[in-house]
Amino acid sequence: MGSAETERLPNSSFAVLGMLTFGEASGYDLVKLAERSLEFFWAPAKSQIYSELRRLVAAGLATEREVEQADRPDKRLYRITPAGERALRRWLEERPEHEPFKSEFLLKLFFGHQMSRERLLALVEGHRRDSQEALERLREIGAQIDGDPRFRSARLTLEYGIAHFRANVSWCDRALRTLKGGEG
C-alpha cells in the first residue's frame, strides 16, 4: 500500500495499528486496551475497531490468523505487518491537523444564563465529579504502567490527562465559588 493510499486512512486506522505495535491481539483485546488507555482522547465504538481491523488486513497493513479454542469459539488474532509499521511511522511523523476543541459542557455553560441557578450549579458540579473520577482512573492506570519502558510515550499522554483533569477540578471549584456568589 503506497503513501497516497495510507493518507486516506482515518486516524482510527492508525490508532488500531498503533495498538498492534504492543503485540498480536484479538479485536476484543484491542477494545479492552483502548478502554484502559486511549479512551480519554480517542474513544472508538467496539464495532469501529473491528471494521478498522478488516480494513487494515485488506490493505496489507495487518495480518490475521484464526486460533482454535477448546472451550470457546475460535478467535482471530491480528498483527501489524512491516508495511503497517511503515505506514504508521509515516503518519506519526506528519504534523497533526489542528483539531477544534469541542465540549458539550462548555457549550451549555456558555448559555447558562438561560438555566436556573440550581441547574447551572448542578452542571458544574457534575463536570467536577466526572473530572475527579477520570483523574482517579488515570492515576490507577499510571500505577499499572510505571516503570515499564514500553509505555514511556504513553506515560506522557497519561500525564497530560492528569494535568487536564486536575485543572478541570480546580477550575470547577473556582467556578462554583463564583456562581455561589463568592470570589473567583
Side-chain angles (χ1 to χ4, degrees):
M1 177 172 226
S3 179
E5 292 168 303
T6 58
E7 287 174 13
R8 291 192 299 263
L9 290 174
N11 287 347
S12 55
S13 291
F14 293 108
V16 171
L17 280 174
M19 288 190 294
L20 287 174
T21 64
F22 292 111
E24 187 176 53
S26 68
Y28 176 82
D29 296 333
L30 295 176
V31 168
K32 291 302 174 194
L33 177 59
E35 288 174 355
R36 291 187 323 267
S37 60
L38 304 180
E39 75 173 342
F40 293 97
F41 53 91
W42 181 74
K46 179 180 176 181
S47 60
Q48 185 179 17
I49 289 179
Y50 287 98
S51 64
E52 291 302 336
L53 285 167
R54 286 189 296 276
R55 179 196 321 246
L56 295 170
V57 168
L61 301 176
T63 60
E64 70 178 324
R65 68 183 179 96
E66 198 163 298
V67 176
E68 285 188 39
Q69 301 187 107
D71 301 343
R72 299 181 194 158
D74 295 347
K75 69 178 178 179
R76 295 185 188 288
L77 293 178
Y78 298 87
R79 179 181 296 278
I80 191 169
T81 64
E85 290 173 347
R86 288 190 300 275
L88 176 63
R89 198 165 299 109
R90 275 193 304 272
W91 177 79
L92 288 170
E93 292 171 356
E94 293 173 359
R95 186 170 188 272
E97 292 181 26
H98 171 72
E99 298 173 342
F101 178 71
K102 295 180 181 182
S103 167
E104 182 181 354
F105 163 72
L106 290 176
L107 185 60
K108 289 181 177 185
L109 181 64
F110 186 85
F111 296 111
H113 65 282
Q114 295 293 316
M115 300 169 71
S116 71
R117 183 174 186 273
E118 293 77 26
R119 292 301 307 149
L120 185 56
L121 286 169
L123 175 71
V124 177
E125 288 166 348
H127 187 67
R128 185 195 189 286
R129 186 174 43 255
D130 292 345
S131 294
Q132 184 65 45
E133 289 172 5
L135 181 58
E136 290 167 11
R137 287 184 39 228
L138 286 173
R139 287 178 175 150
E140 290 170 8
I141 292 168
Q144 294 170 7
I145 67 169
D146 269 350
D148 189 331
R150 296 176 303 155
F151 297 111
R152 191 174 61 193
S153 293
R155 179 74 191 174
L156 292 173
T157 62
L158 180 75
E159 290 171 6
Y160 178 95
I162 288 171
H164 170 80
F165 288 112
R166 187 181 298 139
N168 271 359
V169 169
S170 177
W171 177 89
C172 286
D173 289 341
R174 289 190 310 276
L176 288 166
R177 282 192 302 274
T178 298
L179 292 171
K180 291 176 180 177
E183 294 280 320

